PDB file of all heavy atoms in Angstrom:
ATOM      1  N   ALA A 290       0.816  -1.223   0.000  1.00 94.00           N
ATOM      2  CA  ALA A 290       0.000   0.000   0.000  1.00 94.00           C
ATOM      3  C   ALA A 290       0.844   1.265   0.000  1.00 94.00           C
ATOM      4  O   ALA A 290       0.445   2.287   0.561  1.00 94.00           O
ATOM      5  CB  ALA A 290      -0.963   0.004   1.188  1.00 94.00           C
ATOM      6  N   LEU A 291       1.993   1.205  -0.643  1.00 96.00           N
ATOM      7  CA  LEU A 291       2.811   2.400  -0.789  1.00 96.00           C
ATOM      8  C   LEU A 291       2.266   3.245  -1.942  1.00 96.00           C
ATOM      9  O   LEU A 291       1.889   2.702  -2.989  1.00 96.00           O
ATOM     10  CB  LEU A 291       4.270   2.021  -1.068  1.00 96.00           C
ATOM     11  CG  LEU A 291       5.068   1.547   0.143  1.00 96.00           C
ATOM     12  CD1 LEU A 291       6.386   0.945  -0.282  1.00 96.00           C
ATOM     13  CD2 LEU A 291       5.308   2.704   1.106  1.00 96.00           C
ATOM     14  N   PRO A 292       2.203   4.562  -1.780  1.00 96.00           N
ATOM     15  CA  PRO A 292       1.646   5.417  -2.829  1.00 96.00           C
ATOM     16  C   PRO A 292       2.557   5.476  -4.054  1.00 96.00           C
ATOM     17  O   PRO A 292       3.757   5.711  -3.941  1.00 96.00           O
ATOM     18  CB  PRO A 292       1.532   6.785  -2.151  1.00 96.00           C
ATOM     19  CG  PRO A 292       2.550   6.758  -1.057  1.00 96.00           C
ATOM     20  CD  PRO A 292       2.614   5.339  -0.587  1.00 96.00           C
ATOM     21  N   LEU A 293       1.968   5.261  -5.231  1.00 97.00           N
ATOM     22  CA  LEU A 293       2.701   5.265  -6.491  1.00 97.00           C
ATOM     23  C   LEU A 293       2.062   6.252  -7.455  1.00 97.00           C
ATOM     24  O   LEU A 293       0.849   6.471  -7.425  1.00 97.00           O
ATOM     25  CB  LEU A 293       2.703   3.873  -7.128  1.00 97.00           C
ATOM     26  CG  LEU A 293       3.149   2.682  -6.266  1.00 97.00           C
ATOM     27  CD1 LEU A 293       2.989   1.388  -7.057  1.00 97.00           C
ATOM     28  CD2 LEU A 293       4.576   2.853  -5.802  1.00 97.00           C
ATOM     29  N   THR A 294       2.880   6.835  -8.315  1.00 97.00           N
ATOM     30  CA  THR A 294       2.333   7.692  -9.362  1.00 97.00           C
ATOM     31  C   THR A 294       1.708   6.864 -10.473  1.00 97.00           C
ATOM     32  O   THR A 294       0.809   7.324 -11.183  1.00 97.00           O
ATOM     33  CB  THR A 294       3.433   8.578  -9.972  1.00 97.00           C
ATOM     34  OG1 THR A 294       4.464   7.738 -10.533  1.00 97.00           O
ATOM     35  CG2 THR A 294       4.060   9.469  -8.909  1.00 97.00           C
ATOM     36  N   ALA A 295       2.168   5.620 -10.630  1.00 96.00           N
ATOM     37  CA  ALA A 295       1.649   4.720 -11.662  1.00 96.00           C
ATOM     38  C   ALA A 295       2.195   3.334 -11.378  1.00 96.00           C
ATOM     39  O   ALA A 295       3.152   3.159 -10.616  1.00 96.00           O
ATOM     40  CB  ALA A 295       2.076   5.186 -13.048  1.00 96.00           C
ATOM     41  N   THR A 296       1.576   2.334 -11.985  1.00 95.00           N
ATOM     42  CA  THR A 296       2.158   0.998 -12.004  1.00 95.00           C
ATOM     43  C   THR A 296       2.947   0.862 -13.304  1.00 95.00           C
ATOM     44  O   THR A 296       2.985   1.779 -14.123  1.00 95.00           O
ATOM     45  CB  THR A 296       1.069  -0.082 -11.929  1.00 95.00           C
ATOM     46  OG1 THR A 296       0.192   0.059 -13.062  1.00 95.00           O
ATOM     47  CG2 THR A 296       0.257   0.066 -10.649  1.00 95.00           C
ATOM     48  N   LEU A 297       3.582  -0.280 -13.495  1.00 94.00           N
ATOM     49  CA  LEU A 297       4.298  -0.498 -14.753  1.00 94.00           C
ATOM     50  C   LEU A 297       4.234  -1.957 -15.154  1.00 94.00           C
ATOM     51  O   LEU A 297       4.033  -2.838 -14.317  1.00 94.00           O
ATOM     52  CB  LEU A 297       5.746  -0.008 -14.670  1.00 94.00           C
ATOM     53  CG  LEU A 297       6.700  -0.599 -13.625  1.00 94.00           C
ATOM     54  CD1 LEU A 297       7.323  -1.907 -14.124  1.00 94.00           C
ATOM     55  CD2 LEU A 297       7.812   0.376 -13.307  1.00 94.00           C
ATOM     56  N   THR A 298       4.397  -2.189 -16.434  1.00 94.00           N
ATOM     57  CA  THR A 298       4.468  -3.538 -16.993  1.00 94.00           C
ATOM     58  C   THR A 298       5.691  -3.627 -17.890  1.00 94.00           C
ATOM     59  O   THR A 298       6.095  -2.628 -18.500  1.00 94.00           O
ATOM     60  CB  THR A 298       3.201  -3.881 -17.800  1.00 94.00           C
ATOM     61  OG1 THR A 298       2.948  -2.836 -18.744  1.00 94.00           O
ATOM     62  CG2 THR A 298       1.998  -4.028 -16.890  1.00 94.00           C
ATOM     63  N   SER A 299       6.283  -4.800 -17.956  1.00 95.00           N
ATOM     64  CA  SER A 299       7.543  -4.973 -18.681  1.00 95.00           C
ATOM     65  C   SER A 299       7.476  -6.211 -19.565  1.00 95.00           C
ATOM     66  O   SER A 299       6.747  -7.165 -19.278  1.00 95.00           O
ATOM     67  CB  SER A 299       8.714  -5.118 -17.696  1.00 95.00           C
ATOM     68  OG  SER A 299       8.737  -4.055 -16.765  1.00 95.00           O
ATOM     69  N   THR A 300       8.278  -6.200 -20.615  1.00 94.00           N
ATOM     70  CA  THR A 300       8.372  -7.349 -21.507  1.00 94.00           C
ATOM     71  C   THR A 300       9.740  -7.379 -22.162  1.00 94.00           C
ATOM     72  O   THR A 300      10.457  -6.363 -22.171  1.00 94.00           O
ATOM     73  CB  THR A 300       7.272  -7.304 -22.591  1.00 94.00           C
ATOM     74  OG1 THR A 300       7.249  -8.544 -23.294  1.00 94.00           O
ATOM     75  CG2 THR A 300       7.529  -6.177 -23.576  1.00 94.00           C
ATOM     76  N   SER A 301      10.122  -8.533 -22.695  1.00 95.00           N
ATOM     77  CA  SER A 301      11.401  -8.691 -23.397  1.00 95.00           C
ATOM     78  C   SER A 301      11.156  -9.247 -24.782  1.00 95.00           C
ATOM     79  O   SER A 301      10.207 -10.017 -25.009  1.00 95.00           O
ATOM     80  CB  SER A 301      12.343  -9.615 -22.614  1.00 95.00           C
ATOM     81  OG  SER A 301      11.780 -10.919 -22.512  1.00 95.00           O
ATOM     82  N   LEU A 302      12.013  -8.854 -25.727  1.00 95.00           N
ATOM     83  CA  LEU A 302      11.897  -9.294 -27.104  1.00 95.00           C
ATOM     84  C   LEU A 302      13.280  -9.543 -27.683  1.00 95.00           C
ATOM     85  O   LEU A 302      14.250  -8.886 -27.294  1.00 95.00           O
ATOM     86  CB  LEU A 302      11.174  -8.257 -27.974  1.00 95.00           C
ATOM     87  CG  LEU A 302       9.806  -7.766 -27.525  1.00 95.00           C
ATOM     88  CD1 LEU A 302       9.948  -6.495 -26.701  1.00 95.00           C
ATOM     89  CD2 LEU A 302       8.894  -7.505 -28.728  1.00 95.00           C
ATOM     90  N   ALA A 303      13.360 -10.462 -28.629  1.00 96.00           N
ATOM     91  CA  ALA A 303      14.604 -10.746 -29.334  1.00 96.00           C
ATOM     92  C   ALA A 303      14.341 -10.732 -30.831  1.00 96.00           C
ATOM     93  O   ALA A 303      13.268 -11.137 -31.288  1.00 96.00           O
ATOM     94  CB  ALA A 303      15.171 -12.102 -28.918  1.00 96.00           C
ATOM     95  N   ILE A 304      15.322 -10.227 -31.592  1.00 96.00           N
ATOM     96  CA  ILE A 304      15.265 -10.260 -33.047  1.00 96.00           C
ATOM     97  C   ILE A 304      16.149 -11.415 -33.508  1.00 96.00           C
ATOM     98  O   ILE A 304      17.356 -11.415 -33.277  1.00 96.00           O
ATOM     99  CB  ILE A 304      15.740  -8.933 -33.657  1.00 96.00           C
ATOM    100  CG1 ILE A 304      14.848  -7.782 -33.177  1.00 96.00           C
ATOM    101  CG2 ILE A 304      15.746  -9.008 -35.173  1.00 96.00           C
ATOM    102  CD1 ILE A 304      15.271  -6.420 -33.719  1.00 96.00           C
ATOM    103  N   LEU A 305      15.518 -12.406 -34.165  1.00 94.00           N
ATOM    104  CA  LEU A 305      16.220 -13.612 -34.591  1.00 94.00           C
ATOM    105  C   LEU A 305      16.371 -13.623 -36.102  1.00 94.00           C
ATOM    106  O   LEU A 305      15.443 -13.254 -36.834  1.00 94.00           O
ATOM    107  CB  LEU A 305      15.445 -14.856 -34.155  1.00 94.00           C
ATOM    108  CG  LEU A 305      15.165 -15.012 -32.656  1.00 94.00           C
ATOM    109  CD1 LEU A 305      14.278 -16.211 -32.414  1.00 94.00           C
ATOM    110  CD2 LEU A 305      16.458 -15.152 -31.887  1.00 94.00           C
ATOM    111  N   PRO A 306      17.527 -14.037 -36.610  1.00 90.00           N
ATOM    112  CA  PRO A 306      17.666 -14.193 -38.071  1.00 90.00           C
ATOM    113  C   PRO A 306      16.806 -15.348 -38.554  1.00 90.00           C
ATOM    114  O   PRO A 306      16.764 -16.414 -37.929  1.00 90.00           O
ATOM    115  CB  PRO A 306      19.163 -14.484 -38.246  1.00 90.00           C
ATOM    116  CG  PRO A 306      19.611 -15.016 -36.916  1.00 90.00           C
ATOM    117  CD  PRO A 306      18.759 -14.360 -35.881  1.00 90.00           C
ATOM    118  N   ASP A 307      16.108 -15.129 -39.681  1.00 83.00           N
ATOM    119  CA  ASP A 307      15.218 -16.142 -40.226  1.00 83.00           C
ATOM    120  C   ASP A 307      15.352 -16.138 -41.748  1.00 83.00           C
ATOM    121  O   ASP A 307      14.509 -15.615 -42.464  1.00 83.00           O
ATOM    122  CB  ASP A 307      13.774 -15.863 -39.811  1.00 83.00           C
ATOM    123  CG  ASP A 307      12.823 -16.986 -40.215  1.00 83.00           C
ATOM    124  OD1 ASP A 307      13.299 -18.124 -40.381  1.00 83.00           O
ATOM    125  OD2 ASP A 307      11.629 -16.713 -40.376  1.00 83.00           O
ATOM    126  N   GLY A 308      16.461 -16.710 -42.224  1.00 81.00           N
ATOM    127  CA  GLY A 308      16.737 -16.693 -43.655  1.00 81.00           C
ATOM    128  C   GLY A 308      17.060 -15.288 -44.122  1.00 81.00           C
ATOM    129  O   GLY A 308      17.930 -14.615 -43.576  1.00 81.00           O
ATOM    130  N   GLN A 309      16.336 -14.820 -45.126  1.00 81.00           N
ATOM    131  CA  GLN A 309      16.547 -13.481 -45.647  1.00 81.00           C
ATOM    132  C   GLN A 309      15.824 -12.415 -44.837  1.00 81.00           C
ATOM    133  O   GLN A 309      16.071 -11.222 -45.012  1.00 81.00           O
ATOM    134  CB  GLN A 309      16.069 -13.417 -47.110  1.00 81.00           C
ATOM    135  CG  GLN A 309      16.815 -14.346 -48.043  1.00 81.00           C
ATOM    136  CD  GLN A 309      18.302 -14.019 -48.112  1.00 81.00           C
ATOM    137  OE1 GLN A 309      18.688 -12.853 -48.125  1.00 81.00           O
ATOM    138  NE2 GLN A 309      19.136 -15.056 -48.150  1.00 81.00           N
ATOM    139  N   SER A 310      14.943 -12.825 -43.957  1.00 86.00           N
ATOM    140  CA  SER A 310      14.188 -11.884 -43.134  1.00 86.00           C
ATOM    141  C   SER A 310      14.578 -12.058 -41.671  1.00 86.00           C
ATOM    142  O   SER A 310      15.499 -12.809 -41.345  1.00 86.00           O
ATOM    143  CB  SER A 310      12.687 -12.099 -43.328  1.00 86.00           C
ATOM    144  OG  SER A 310      12.345 -13.422 -42.960  1.00 86.00           O
ATOM    145  N   LYS A 311      13.860 -11.373 -40.818  1.00 90.00           N
ATOM    146  CA  LYS A 311      14.119 -11.445 -39.387  1.00 90.00           C
ATOM    147  C   LYS A 311      12.815 -11.624 -38.643  1.00 90.00           C
ATOM    148  O   LYS A 311      11.757 -11.187 -39.105  1.00 90.00           O
ATOM    149  CB  LYS A 311      14.846 -10.186 -38.915  1.00 90.00           C
ATOM    150  CG  LYS A 311      16.228 -10.034 -39.538  1.00 90.00           C
ATOM    151  CD  LYS A 311      16.859  -8.712 -39.200  1.00 90.00           C
ATOM    152  CE  LYS A 311      18.201  -8.570 -39.923  1.00 90.00           C
ATOM    153  NZ  LYS A 311      18.826  -7.249 -39.683  1.00 90.00           N
ATOM    154  N   LYS A 312      12.895 -12.265 -37.506  1.00 93.00           N
ATOM    155  CA  LYS A 312      11.706 -12.605 -36.727  1.00 93.00           C
ATOM    156  C   LYS A 312      11.837 -12.031 -35.331  1.00 93.00           C
ATOM    157  O   LYS A 312      12.897 -12.109 -34.702  1.00 93.00           O
ATOM    158  CB  LYS A 312      11.544 -14.124 -36.668  1.00 93.00           C
ATOM    159  CG  LYS A 312      10.357 -14.595 -35.846  1.00 93.00           C
ATOM    160  CD  LYS A 312      10.193 -16.106 -35.921  1.00 93.00           C
ATOM    161  CE  LYS A 312      11.356 -16.821 -35.267  1.00 93.00           C
ATOM    162  NZ  LYS A 312      11.139 -18.286 -35.191  1.00 93.00           N
ATOM    163  N   ILE A 313      10.748 -11.458 -34.825  1.00 94.00           N
ATOM    164  CA  ILE A 313      10.713 -10.915 -33.471  1.00 94.00           C
ATOM    165  C   ILE A 313      10.006 -11.911 -32.571  1.00 94.00           C
ATOM    166  O   ILE A 313       8.898 -12.364 -32.880  1.00 94.00           O
ATOM    167  CB  ILE A 313      10.004  -9.554 -33.445  1.00 94.00           C
ATOM    168  CG1 ILE A 313      10.779  -8.536 -34.281  1.00 94.00           C
ATOM    169  CG2 ILE A 313       9.875  -9.055 -32.007  1.00 94.00           C
ATOM    170  CD1 ILE A 313      10.113  -7.187 -34.375  1.00 94.00           C
ATOM    171  N   THR A 314      10.637 -12.254 -31.451  1.00 93.00           N
ATOM    172  CA  THR A 314      10.086 -13.229 -30.519  1.00 93.00           C
ATOM    173  C   THR A 314       9.910 -12.588 -29.152  1.00 93.00           C
ATOM    174  O   THR A 314      10.835 -11.958 -28.634  1.00 93.00           O
ATOM    175  CB  THR A 314      11.003 -14.454 -30.395  1.00 93.00           C
ATOM    176  OG1 THR A 314      11.158 -15.053 -31.683  1.00 93.00           O
ATOM    177  CG2 THR A 314      10.422 -15.470 -29.431  1.00 93.00           C
ATOM    178  N   LEU A 315       8.718 -12.757 -28.572  1.00 92.00           N
ATOM    179  CA  LEU A 315       8.446 -12.270 -27.224  1.00 92.00           C
ATOM    180  C   LEU A 315       8.924 -13.292 -26.191  1.00 92.00           C
ATOM    181  O   LEU A 315       8.809 -14.497 -26.393  1.00 92.00           O
ATOM    182  CB  LEU A 315       6.950 -12.040 -27.039  1.00 92.00           C
ATOM    183  CG  LEU A 315       6.387 -10.658 -27.381  1.00 92.00           C
ATOM    184  CD1 LEU A 315       4.872 -10.702 -27.343  1.00 92.00           C
ATOM    185  CD2 LEU A 315       6.919  -9.609 -26.421  1.00 92.00           C
ATOM    186  N   ASN A 316       9.457 -12.785 -25.068  1.00 90.00           N
ATOM    187  CA  ASN A 316       9.898 -13.647 -23.969  1.00 90.00           C
ATOM    188  C   ASN A 316      10.771 -14.796 -24.467  1.00 90.00           C
ATOM    189  O   ASN A 316      10.443 -15.975 -24.277  1.00 90.00           O
ATOM    190  CB  ASN A 316       8.690 -14.195 -23.201  1.00 90.00           C
ATOM    191  CG  ASN A 316       7.777 -13.099 -22.706  1.00 90.00           C
ATOM    192  OD1 ASN A 316       8.229 -12.095 -22.161  1.00 90.00           O
ATOM    193  ND2 ASN A 316       6.477 -13.269 -22.895  1.00 90.00           N
ATOM    194  N   PRO A 317      11.876 -14.497 -25.135  1.00 91.00           N
ATOM    195  CA  PRO A 317      12.702 -15.553 -25.732  1.00 91.00           C
ATOM    196  C   PRO A 317      13.342 -16.451 -24.686  1.00 91.00           C
ATOM    197  O   PRO A 317      13.596 -16.039 -23.549  1.00 91.00           O
ATOM    198  CB  PRO A 317      13.769 -14.756 -26.500  1.00 91.00           C
ATOM    199  CG  PRO A 317      13.850 -13.450 -25.776  1.00 91.00           C
ATOM    200  CD  PRO A 317      12.455 -13.152 -25.320  1.00 91.00           C
ATOM    201  N   SER A 318      13.612 -17.687 -25.101  1.00 87.00           N
ATOM    202  CA  SER A 318      14.286 -18.651 -24.235  1.00 87.00           C
ATOM    203  C   SER A 318      15.785 -18.370 -24.228  1.00 87.00           C
ATOM    204  O   SER A 318      16.286 -17.593 -25.041  1.00 87.00           O
ATOM    205  CB  SER A 318      14.027 -20.072 -24.758  1.00 87.00           C
ATOM    206  OG  SER A 318      14.665 -20.246 -26.015  1.00 87.00           O
ATOM    207  N   PRO A 319      16.546 -19.004 -23.313  1.00 85.00           N
ATOM    208  CA  PRO A 319      18.005 -18.804 -23.305  1.00 85.00           C
ATOM    209  C   PRO A 319      18.652 -19.132 -24.641  1.00 85.00           C
ATOM    210  O   PRO A 319      19.570 -18.432 -25.077  1.00 85.00           O
ATOM    211  CB  PRO A 319      18.472 -19.756 -22.200  1.00 85.00           C
ATOM    212  CG  PRO A 319      17.319 -19.849 -21.264  1.00 85.00           C
ATOM    213  CD  PRO A 319      16.098 -19.774 -22.131  1.00 85.00           C
ATOM    214  N   ARG A 320      18.173 -20.179 -25.306  1.00 86.00           N
ATOM    215  CA  ARG A 320      18.756 -20.536 -26.607  1.00 86.00           C
ATOM    216  C   ARG A 320      18.459 -19.453 -27.635  1.00 86.00           C
ATOM    217  O   ARG A 320      19.324 -19.088 -28.445  1.00 86.00           O
ATOM    218  CB  ARG A 320      18.202 -21.877 -27.070  1.00 86.00           C
ATOM    219  CG  ARG A 320      18.729 -22.303 -28.439  1.00 86.00           C
ATOM    220  CD  ARG A 320      18.302 -23.691 -28.799  1.00 86.00           C
ATOM    221  NE  ARG A 320      18.841 -24.115 -30.084  1.00 86.00           N
ATOM    222  CZ  ARG A 320      18.711 -25.324 -30.589  1.00 86.00           C
ATOM    223  NH1 ARG A 320      18.070 -26.249 -29.896  1.00 86.00           N
ATOM    224  NH2 ARG A 320      19.228 -25.631 -31.758  1.00 86.00           N
ATOM    225  N   GLU A 321      17.247 -18.932 -27.646  1.00 90.00           N
ATOM    226  CA  GLU A 321      16.890 -17.876 -28.592  1.00 90.00           C
ATOM    227  C   GLU A 321      17.682 -16.601 -28.334  1.00 90.00           C
ATOM    228  O   GLU A 321      18.082 -15.907 -29.266  1.00 90.00           O
ATOM    229  CB  GLU A 321      15.387 -17.609 -28.526  1.00 90.00           C
ATOM    230  CG  GLU A 321      14.558 -18.731 -29.113  1.00 90.00           C
ATOM    231  CD  GLU A 321      13.084 -18.556 -28.862  1.00 90.00           C
ATOM    232  OE1 GLU A 321      12.725 -17.981 -27.814  1.00 90.00           O
ATOM    233  OE2 GLU A 321      12.277 -19.027 -29.682  1.00 90.00           O
ATOM    234  N   ILE A 322      17.918 -16.290 -27.074  1.00 90.00           N
ATOM    235  CA  ILE A 322      18.741 -15.116 -26.747  1.00 90.00           C
ATOM    236  C   ILE A 322      20.173 -15.330 -27.225  1.00 90.00           C
ATOM    237  O   ILE A 322      20.824 -14.412 -27.728  1.00 90.00           O
ATOM    238  CB  ILE A 322      18.707 -14.837 -25.233  1.00 90.00           C
ATOM    239  CG1 ILE A 322      17.281 -14.460 -24.793  1.00 90.00           C
ATOM    240  CG2 ILE A 322      19.683 -13.723 -24.855  1.00 90.00           C
ATOM    241  CD1 ILE A 322      17.129 -14.297 -23.299  1.00 90.00           C
ATOM    242  N   GLU A 323      20.665 -16.568 -27.086  1.00 87.00           N
ATOM    243  CA  GLU A 323      22.042 -16.892 -27.472  1.00 87.00           C
ATOM    244  C   GLU A 323      22.264 -16.666 -28.974  1.00 87.00           C
ATOM    245  O   GLU A 323      23.323 -16.165 -29.383  1.00 87.00           O
ATOM    246  CB  GLU A 323      22.348 -18.351 -27.108  1.00 87.00           C
ATOM    247  CG  GLU A 323      23.735 -18.819 -27.500  1.00 87.00           C
ATOM    248  CD  GLU A 323      24.822 -18.282 -26.594  1.00 87.00           C
ATOM    249  OE1 GLU A 323      24.492 -17.794 -25.493  1.00 87.00           O
ATOM    250  OE2 GLU A 323      25.998 -18.345 -26.985  1.00 87.00           O
ATOM    251  N   VAL A 324      21.279 -17.026 -29.795  1.00 90.00           N
ATOM    252  CA  VAL A 324      21.452 -16.937 -31.249  1.00 90.00           C
ATOM    253  C   VAL A 324      20.836 -15.664 -31.821  1.00 90.00           C
ATOM    254  O   VAL A 324      20.868 -15.462 -33.036  1.00 90.00           O
ATOM    255  CB  VAL A 324      20.825 -18.170 -31.939  1.00 90.00           C
ATOM    256  CG1 VAL A 324      21.475 -19.448 -31.451  1.00 90.00           C
ATOM    257  CG2 VAL A 324      19.317 -18.219 -31.721  1.00 90.00           C
ATOM    258  N   SER A 325      20.280 -14.810 -30.984  1.00 93.00           N
ATOM    259  CA  SER A 325      19.590 -13.627 -31.479  1.00 93.00           C
ATOM    260  C   SER A 325      20.569 -12.569 -31.978  1.00 93.00           C
ATOM    261  O   SER A 325      21.732 -12.527 -31.572  1.00 93.00           O
ATOM    262  CB  SER A 325      18.709 -13.027 -30.378  1.00 93.00           C
ATOM    263  OG  SER A 325      19.501 -12.502 -29.338  1.00 93.00           O
ATOM    264  N   GLN A 326      20.058 -11.728 -32.855  1.00 94.00           N
ATOM    265  CA  GLN A 326      20.834 -10.591 -33.338  1.00 94.00           C
ATOM    266  C   GLN A 326      20.844  -9.469 -32.314  1.00 94.00           C
ATOM    267  O   GLN A 326      21.848  -8.780 -32.139  1.00 94.00           O
ATOM    268  CB  GLN A 326      20.227 -10.082 -34.648  1.00 94.00           C
ATOM    269  CG  GLN A 326      20.824  -8.780 -35.168  1.00 94.00           C
ATOM    270  CD  GLN A 326      20.083  -8.280 -36.388  1.00 94.00           C
ATOM    271  OE1 GLN A 326      19.966  -8.995 -37.381  1.00 94.00           O
ATOM    272  NE2 GLN A 326      19.573  -7.067 -36.317  1.00 94.00           N
ATOM    273  N   SER A 327      19.720  -9.276 -31.607  1.00 96.00           N
ATOM    274  CA  SER A 327      19.635  -8.262 -30.556  1.00 96.00           C
ATOM    275  C   SER A 327      18.561  -8.661 -29.563  1.00 96.00           C
ATOM    276  O   SER A 327      17.663  -9.452 -29.871  1.00 96.00           O
ATOM    277  CB  SER A 327      19.335  -6.873 -31.145  1.00 96.00           C
ATOM    278  OG  SER A 327      18.079  -6.868 -31.802  1.00 96.00           O
ATOM    279  N   PHE A 328      18.664  -8.099 -28.365  1.00 96.00           N
ATOM    280  CA  PHE A 328      17.729  -8.409 -27.281  1.00 96.00           C
ATOM    281  C   PHE A 328      17.312  -7.101 -26.625  1.00 96.00           C
ATOM    282  O   PHE A 328      18.144  -6.211 -26.410  1.00 96.00           O
ATOM    283  CB  PHE A 328      18.388  -9.345 -26.266  1.00 96.00           C
ATOM    284  CG  PHE A 328      17.505  -9.713 -25.114  1.00 96.00           C
ATOM    285  CD1 PHE A 328      16.408 -10.535 -25.306  1.00 96.00           C
ATOM    286  CD2 PHE A 328      17.763  -9.236 -23.842  1.00 96.00           C
ATOM    287  CE1 PHE A 328      15.588 -10.878 -24.250  1.00 96.00           C
ATOM    288  CE2 PHE A 328      16.950  -9.576 -22.780  1.00 96.00           C
ATOM    289  CZ  PHE A 328      15.855 -10.407 -22.981  1.00 96.00           C
ATOM    290  N   HIS A 329      16.010  -6.979 -26.308  1.00 97.00           N
ATOM    291  CA  HIS A 329      15.474  -5.702 -25.828  1.00 97.00           C
ATOM    292  C   HIS A 329      14.525  -5.931 -24.655  1.00 97.00           C
ATOM    293  O   HIS A 329      13.786  -6.919 -24.627  1.00 97.00           O
ATOM    294  CB  HIS A 329      14.706  -4.982 -26.948  1.00 97.00           C
ATOM    295  CG  HIS A 329      15.469  -4.886 -28.240  1.00 97.00           C
ATOM    296  ND1 HIS A 329      16.173  -3.762 -28.602  1.00 97.00           N
ATOM    297  CD2 HIS A 329      15.639  -5.785 -29.247  1.00 97.00           C
ATOM    298  CE1 HIS A 329      16.734  -3.961 -29.781  1.00 97.00           C
ATOM    299  NE2 HIS A 329      16.432  -5.186 -30.191  1.00 97.00           N
ATOM    300  N   VAL A 330      14.538  -5.006 -23.706  1.00 97.00           N
ATOM    301  CA  VAL A 330      13.601  -4.994 -22.585  1.00 97.00           C
ATOM    302  C   VAL A 330      12.933  -3.620 -22.544  1.00 97.00           C
ATOM    303  O   VAL A 330      13.619  -2.591 -22.602  1.00 97.00           O
ATOM    304  CB  VAL A 330      14.299  -5.282 -21.242  1.00 97.00           C
ATOM    305  CG1 VAL A 330      13.327  -5.069 -20.076  1.00 97.00           C
ATOM    306  CG2 VAL A 330      14.842  -6.696 -21.213  1.00 97.00           C
ATOM    307  N   PHE A 331      11.596  -3.621 -22.466  1.00 97.00           N
ATOM    308  CA  PHE A 331      10.820  -2.381 -22.382  1.00 97.00           C
ATOM    309  C   PHE A 331       9.933  -2.413 -21.149  1.00 97.00           C
ATOM    310  O   PHE A 331       9.395  -3.459 -20.793  1.00 97.00           O
ATOM    311  CB  PHE A 331       9.926  -2.201 -23.617  1.00 97.00           C
ATOM    312  CG  PHE A 331      10.669  -1.979 -24.904  1.00 97.00           C
ATOM    313  CD1 PHE A 331      11.096  -3.061 -25.668  1.00 97.00           C
ATOM    314  CD2 PHE A 331      10.945  -0.704 -25.364  1.00 97.00           C
ATOM    315  CE1 PHE A 331      11.777  -2.872 -26.860  1.00 97.00           C
ATOM    316  CE2 PHE A 331      11.616  -0.498 -26.549  1.00 97.00           C
ATOM    317  CZ  PHE A 331      12.031  -1.580 -27.300  1.00 97.00           C
ATOM    318  N   SER A 332       9.761  -1.239 -20.522  1.00 97.00           N
ATOM    319  CA  SER A 332       8.795  -1.077 -19.436  1.00 97.00           C
ATOM    320  C   SER A 332       7.974   0.169 -19.704  1.00 97.00           C
ATOM    321  O   SER A 332       8.516   1.211 -20.076  1.00 97.00           O
ATOM    322  CB  SER A 332       9.508  -0.950 -18.083  1.00 97.00           C
ATOM    323  OG  SER A 332      10.115  -2.173 -17.711  1.00 97.00           O
TER     324      SER A 332
END
């Protein structure tokens, strides 16, 4: 019950190479993070 100006929500995404294109994956696994081109966290 501490006073807050707002709550927040967070998520993680990884951009994975997929042939000639690229694929975005939500909540990637450790293996997907390992082979990903980039990894991002947003709140």
Side-chain angles (χ1 to χ4, degrees):
L291 283 169
L293 308 176
T294 59
T296 60
L297 59 84
T298 51
S299 307
T300 190
S301 63
L302 306 93
I304 300 179
L305 302 174
D307 187 24
Q309 298 299 320
S310 60
K311 296 173 184 177
K312 178 176 66 173
I313 297 177
T314 301
L315 270 171
N316 305 315
S318 67
R320 178 173 182 174
E321 289 172 329
I322 296 175
E323 178 75 16
V324 300
S325 67
Q326 172 185 303
S327 62
F328 180 69
H329 310 262
V330 172
F331 294 87
S332 291

